[in-house]
Amino acid sequence: MQIHDTIAGLRAALKNAGRVALVPTMGNLHEGHISLMEQARSHGDAVVASIFVNRLQFRPGEDFEKYPRTFQADCDKLIAAGVDHLFAPVETEMYPRPQGYTVAVPKEQDGILEGEFRPGHFNGMATVVMKLFQIVQPDTALFGKKDYQQLMVIRNMVQDLNLPIHIIGGETIRAADGLALSSRNGYLSPDQRREAPRLFETLTKVVDALRHGNIDFPALERDAAIQLRNNQWQPDYVAIRKKSDLQLPAAHDSGLVVLAAARLGSTRLIDNLEV
Ligand code: PAF
């Protein structure tokens, strides 16, 4: 695997690389990321991973400083997964001056769910993804469905800005007990780690109820949040939404997704299940 820390070096290496598949990450790689790298192989002659902890998408007081940086272990995993190129710039390579031009995510996507609880997060995320797209110029880019709203924002950005990039969403990879793999799981204490699968179990119950024809969405969301609260969680939301645009569904809409974000101690976890 070639490791590039400059944009010029990466661009030179990709000049005659053929079709390029990109998997952007912030590092601290787990099986979820590796599964995207493996899928990328069938979409590109060259598979490029990026590792960059993007300050712009963290709010003040969030975990930018303590976000786990595990570069050597990440490189070992990428080599084992057969990745061809790693782009791992330092901050001044990506942001040599304060970022003036940014991507503004429309209110109907930025003002709901994660956007409501993390104002500015999606603008920062979309800005760095746009920069990565310009730098790497991939034919295909892959993102995990665990960050469901992020995937939707990226798909819409690509469509609205006519970027010639095929976006692929990879299925969420879970631990044996159901917990969705996430870099933030590493913040959990042993007791919290034992409790953490409740988020998935709670979503599963909502999905089961929906599949059995229960369409009282507010009651299902409320009961799920209560179940979490009764077990020491602080939920930001449990929400039943349309998969297509994450807006509120009408009673008999199909194509639903149930999304949740909740804090266990100081760790904020998100998860979702398609119905
Ligand atoms: O999902 C992530 O790891 C990040 O949000 C991304 C897409 C790499 C942008 O920084």
Side-chain angles (χ1 to χ4, degrees):
M1 180 174 76
Q2 295 181 34
I3 301 178
H4 311 276
D5 57 7
T6 65
I7 295 167
L10 177 76
R11 282 193 172 145
L14 293 182
K15 223 176 182 101
N16 299 309
R19 288 175 313 140
V20 172
L22 170 68
V23 184
T25 82
M26 296 201 301
N28 193 233
L29 304 179
H30 51 66
E31 278 306 311
H33 298 110
I34 298 307
S35 125
L36 293 176
M37 307 291 165
E38 287 164 358
Q39 288 174 63
R41 176 51 64 208
S42 57
H43 295 278
D45 304 305
V47 174
V48 180
S50 66
I51 295 181
F52 180 66
V53 185
N54 173 40
R55 186 188 292 274
L56 287 196
Q57 70 189 73
F58 289 79
R59 287 181 43 77
E62 288 190 344
D63 55 345
F64 173 74
E65 300 297 344
K66 77 163 182 178
Y67 198 86
R69 288 150 172 96
T70 51
F71 188 71
Q72 199 44 57
D74 291 347
C75 286
D76 295 345
K77 289 177 188 167
L78 293 173
I79 291 167
V83 168
D84 302 300
H85 299 271
L86 169 61
F87 178 51
V90 293
E91 206 165 7
T92 48
E93 182 71 6
M94 287 298 277
Y95 299 121
R97 59 184 190 188
Q99 185 72 21
Y101 291 80
T102 57
V103 175
V105 175
K107 195 91 201 103
E108 64 271 19
Q109 291 161 28
D110 189 44
I112 60 169
L113 304 169
E114 284 306 281
E116 183 186 341
F117 288 92
R118 302 183 69 193
H121 163 69
F122 284 125
N123 289 347
M125 181 283 296
T127 298
V128 82
V129 169
M130 177 59 107
K131 282 171 75 91
L132 289 167
F133 284 172
Q134 300 303 327
I135 291 165
V136 179
Q137 307 206 344
D139 298 278
T140 302
L142 299 92
F143 299 85
K145 280 194 193 176
K146 189 179 118 348
D147 294 294
Y148 206 87
Q149 194 174 0
Q150 166 172 285
L151 178 60
M152 189 199 68
V153 166
I154 292 167
R155 282 192 197 286
N156 283 318
M157 176 178 82
V158 162
Q159 193 177 338
D160 279 10
L161 297 177
N162 303 95
L163 305 180
I165 302 172
H166 180 211
I167 302 297
I168 293 180
E171 294 304 323
T172 300
I173 306 294
R174 299 180 180 280
D177 58 10
L179 178 66
L181 297 192
S182 162
S183 300
R184 293 189 167 101
N185 293 349
Y187 299 152
L188 299 170
S189 69
D191 278 353
Q192 290 170 337
R193 175 62 189 83
R194 274 188 288 280
E195 170 61 22
R198 190 179 305 278
L199 191 58
F200 169 68
E201 288 157 18
T202 304
L203 290 174
T204 304
K205 279 188 195 152
V206 178
V207 168
D208 285 348
L210 291 167
R211 287 193 179 140
H212 282 92
N214 188 336
I215 51 167
D216 190 347
F217 303 146
L220 289 170
E221 292 171 351
R222 199 177 47 242
D223 290 351
I226 289 171
Q227 193 182 333
L228 289 170
R229 240 177 248 118
N230 287 344
N231 289 281
Q232 314 304 322
W233 292 74
Q234 294 163 276
D236 281 346
Y237 58 82
V238 179
I240 300 165
R241 295 297 172 104
K242 289 189 286 179
K243 274 197 270 193
S244 54
D245 56 8
L246 296 183
Q247 300 301 315
L248 292 170
H252 293 287
D253 275 343
S254 56
L256 304 180
V257 57
V258 189
L259 309 103
R263 224 171 272 281
L264 193 50
S266 59
T267 303
R268 187 172 182 278
L269 299 179
I270 62 171
D271 200 354
N272 66 80
L273 280 181
E274 291 177 323
V275 182

